[in-house]
Amino acid sequence: MILSQKNIEEIAVAVIKDFQKSFFGSEADDPERFALPTPIDQFAFHYLNLKVSFQKLFSDGSIYSLTAYVDTEYQIEVDGSQRSIFLKTNDVVLDKSFIELGNIRKLCGKRRFTLAHECAHQILFQLNADDRKVACHKRPEVRENGSRVLRTQEDQSIGTICGNAD
């Protein structure tokens, strides 16, 4: 599925409008109100039914989040050691640095943006056709460092749709 910027913006407006009606009630429809901020944690937990957790993802801070559309396993390297993260459908993992003392306020905006980014992956995946969802069960070749090897245009589309690490 290829979406234009306009398509993505239309989807975003529709989803946020629906969420705000369910979360804020009639207040969301009041034209006299300023735009209501999106409480991203409630959006992720209650509206999208995502399970969000925190783990150390990479020593160098190169990956802030992972999301899964199907049960899967990610190989990551932390402090020179390889380890697996097992994710269930609709799991989102954010880097533990977001909730470490001294970082909570400093990284609040970045955590909110990162969670919103993963929510967008989940929304777009849910809008995708069922035959493309089946493709997520095919695992592209995985390098030792955990990155995916995408060889063809179809592989690249599958990688985007299946939510490789961002």
Side-chain angles (χ1 to χ4, degrees):
M1 168 171 61
I2 297 174
L3 297 172
S4 68
Q5 181 177 347
K6 182 180 177 188
N7 296 140
I8 292 170
E9 288 174 1
E10 289 169 349
I11 292 166
V13 167
V15 169
I16 293 301
K17 198 178 271 190
D18 186 59
F19 166 72
Q20 288 188 339
K21 282 183 184 178
S22 70
F23 189 78
F24 294 110
S26 61
E27 186 180 358
D29 290 328
D30 185 354
E32 299 293 315
R33 291 280 297 169
F34 289 101
L36 298 168
T38 300
I40 196 64
D41 294 297
Q42 289 82 354
F43 180 74
F45 297 131
H46 301 296
Y47 188 77
L48 296 179
N49 295 313
L50 301 178
K51 181 183 172 213
V52 179
S53 62
F54 295 86
Q55 293 187 42
K56 188 167 185 180
L57 294 178
F58 273 81
S59 301
D60 64 2
S62 62
I63 294 183
Y64 293 109
S65 60
L66 301 171
T67 192
Y69 313 122
V70 295
D71 293 355
T72 190
E73 174 184 358
Y74 284 99
Q75 295 294 318
I76 66 170
E77 183 180 327
V78 177
D79 299 327
S81 300
Q82 291 282 328
R83 70 177 176 101
S84 295
I85 295 180
F86 297 94
L87 299 171
K88 298 272 189 200
T89 302
N90 297 332
D91 277 354
V92 174
V93 179
L94 300 178
D95 190 69
K96 191 175 180 177
S97 65
F98 289 124
I99 58 170
E100 291 174 345
L101 288 177
N103 283 347
I104 295 173
R105 278 192 181 167
K106 183 170 72 174
L107 298 179
C108 179
K110 190 172 198 170
R111 183 194 64 80
R112 287 178 44 78
F113 176 86
T114 303
L115 181 54
H117 176 93
E118 296 306 333
C119 288
H121 279 299
Q122 290 284 339
I123 291 165
L124 293 175
F125 180 75
Q126 293 302 321
L127 293 174
N128 217 356
D130 286 337
D131 60 329
R132 298 295 283 188
K133 290 179 185 179
V134 170
C136 288
H137 292 284
K138 296 181 195 173
R139 291 202 47 143
E141 182 183 330
V142 179
R143 293 185 182 115
E144 284 186 29
N145 69 359
S147 63
R148 305 287 193 244
V149 178
L150 303 173
R151 292 195 177 97
T152 66
Q153 184 61 37
E154 181 181 271
D155 288 341
Q156 291 174 2
S157 297
I158 290 169
T160 301
I161 291 166
C162 295
N164 290 333
D166 287 320

